Amino acid sequence: MAKSAGGVLLPVSADAGKGDGEAALFKGSAMTRRGAVAALSYMSCSVLLVMFNKAALSSYKFPCANVITLLQMVCSTCLLYVLRRLKIISFTNSEPSVPSDSLFFVPFRILLRTSPLSLSYLLYMLASMESVRGVNVPMYTTLRRTTVAFTMTMEYFLAKQKHTPPIIGSVALIVFGAFIAGARDLSFDARGYAIVFVANITTAVYLATINRIGKSSGLNSFGLMWCNGLVCGPAVLFLTYIQGDLKTTIEFPYLYSPGFQVVLLFSCILAFLLNYTIFWNTILNSALTQSMCGNLKDFFTVGLGWVLFGGLPFDLLNVIGQGLGFVGSGMYAYCKIKGK
């Protein structure tokens, strides 16, 4: 836990702030109060970030999603640098083992140890972007919701974590609901299916790697974010350069519009908070819980998106499939809270 000059405590790791936050949500619950706060914080940040990204990409018709990703990463890294330089936060669970005037703030050996996490994040990001380009939206949404099954598989192989039959049943219900929701729109495309499933695998590996490396590296959530930024930032910058996105951005007609700049500012702030809550939620709870939260927050994303950006044509199969997915997510939350 980091302590600011004003005495504000920031939850940054699984070991920080043990006390009331480590108490069960209620008697018999397998989830702690801090775990519940982490899950709710992630869902809130995720929903709001989707809304601001939607405003930038759709309302302002900004064509370069990669540039938004780069801006979010640069802003997060710069903010972490300033907060660490001012000693408002720490990057480790204990006292840092490098001098405070060190450029990287963490030992180089730790940076190397977390490189698999950074590599998995980079692959996850690139695969996700390519999957959006390669398939239509209904198929993308449908297949991406099956990530929970891949996450459960990765947890088993990487961390030897096994799940109870009720948990497995809730995941199966989500996967079944996802295919029901997209059944009317699905048209077989071997390349599109392959790209989306690669994105699912990289997402699952990324979340499972957070859970594994985050608990053994000695770094807290801020430290893991810092290492990600140092490794992935230059790679994303190179990618946007060779694709010509930087030139397109400079020529974008609304680049200096106050409204567009406000949207980008909130997008960057929320991306920082989202990355933090992803680490926090995954370390406190599990990679599978993180995936489930991603499914559960879809309910609020769909509702708020329908109000702000308009709804989609009514389709009974889609409604039934979405309903099954939300029921499955609710079942998982219930099993997690009750400790089943």
Side-chain angles (χ1 to χ4, degrees):
M1 186 171 285
K3 189 173 183 179
S4 70
V8 179
L9 296 179
L10 302 174
V12 292
S13 72
D15 298 325
K18 287 186 177 180
D20 291 341
E22 292 301 314
L25 193 57
F26 51 80
K27 187 175 181 180
S29 173
M31 179 177 283
T32 64
R33 293 174 184 174
R34 288 199 305 127
V37 171
L40 291 174
S41 298
Y42 159 72
M43 289 190 286
S44 299
C45 292
S46 182
V47 171
L48 291 175
L49 180 60
V50 169
M51 296 302 109
F52 279 100
N53 284 347
K54 177 71 174 177
L57 296 172
S58 296
S59 299
Y60 284 97
K61 302 186 184 304
F62 185 61
C64 305
N66 290 357
V67 172
I68 294 180
T69 301
L70 177 62
L71 286 175
Q72 292 170 347
M73 191 171 294
V74 169
C75 289
S76 293
T77 304
C78 290
L79 181 59
L80 287 170
Y81 180 85
V82 172
L83 292 175
R84 178 62 184 85
R85 176 63 68 180
L86 296 176
K87 299 183 179 180
I88 295 176
I89 63 173
S90 173
F91 288 161
T92 58
N93 294 325
S94 58
E95 288 298 317
S97 56
V98 291
S100 60
D101 60 349
S102 173
L103 176 62
F104 296 114
F105 294 120
V106 295
F108 186 70
R109 59 181 176 79
I110 297 295
L111 195 62
L112 288 179
R113 185 184 301 176
T114 59
S115 58
L117 174 63
S118 301
L119 178 61
S120 65
Y121 174 69
L122 184 62
L123 293 175
Y124 146 74
M125 184 172 53
L126 295 177
S128 297
M129 289 188 291
E130 185 61 29
S131 66
V132 173
R133 298 176 190 271
V135 299
N136 60 65
V137 173
M139 188 170 82
Y140 174 79
T141 303
T142 298
L143 297 180
R144 283 292 280 164
R145 293 194 69 181
T146 64
T147 300
V148 290
F150 289 91
T151 302
M152 179 179 289
T153 304
M154 287 298 110
E155 280 189 329
Y156 175 77
F157 284 110
L158 294 181
K160 302 302 180 183
Q161 184 172 348
K162 298 181 180 180
H163 298 280
T164 62
I167 294 293
I168 296 175
S170 64
V171 170
L173 187 58
I174 289 176
V175 173
F176 179 67
F179 281 100
I180 291 294
R184 201 182 300 276
D185 297 302
L186 286 175
S187 56
F188 183 76
D189 180 351
R191 182 178 180 276
Y193 270 65
I195 293 174
V196 176
F197 281 126
V198 168
N200 288 348
I201 294 172
T202 56
T203 301
V205 170
Y206 174 54
L207 294 178
T209 306
I210 290 176
N211 202 32
R212 185 178 183 182
I213 293 182
K215 294 179 179 179
S216 63
S217 65
L219 297 177
N220 57 36
S221 300
F222 291 129
L224 294 172
M225 290 170 61
W226 172 252
C227 292
N228 258 8
L230 289 180
V231 175
C232 297
V236 178
L237 176 61
F238 178 73
L239 179 65
T240 55
Y241 175 76
I242 63 175
Q243 289 183 337
D245 288 341
L246 295 180
K247 180 180 179 181
T248 303
T249 299
I250 294 175
E251 298 172 351
F252 183 61
Y254 296 107
L255 182 61
Y256 299 104
S257 167
F260 179 71
Q261 292 180 351
V262 168
V263 167
L264 284 185
L265 174 62
F266 276 96
S267 177
C268 291
I269 293 173
L270 286 166
F272 173 82
L273 295 175
L274 178 65
N275 284 328
Y276 167 68
T277 54
I278 287 176
F279 283 115
W280 190 29
N281 186 34
T282 304
I283 291 174
L284 279 180
N285 296 307
S286 71
L288 185 57
T289 298
Q290 171 63 30
S291 291
M292 284 295 183
C293 289
N295 277 306
L296 196 57
K297 57 89 179 171
D298 284 347
F299 176 79
F300 302 100
T301 304
V302 169
L304 191 57
W306 184 83
V307 172
L308 296 178
F309 301 104
L312 296 172
F314 176 82
D315 181 81
L316 183 59
L317 276 181
N318 185 272
V319 172
I320 293 174
Q322 295 288 350
L324 289 174
F326 295 138
V327 169
S329 298
M331 286 175 55
Y332 175 84
Y334 175 79
C335 293
K336 183 72 175 178
I337 290 174
K338 297 294 288 186
K340 295 184 178 180

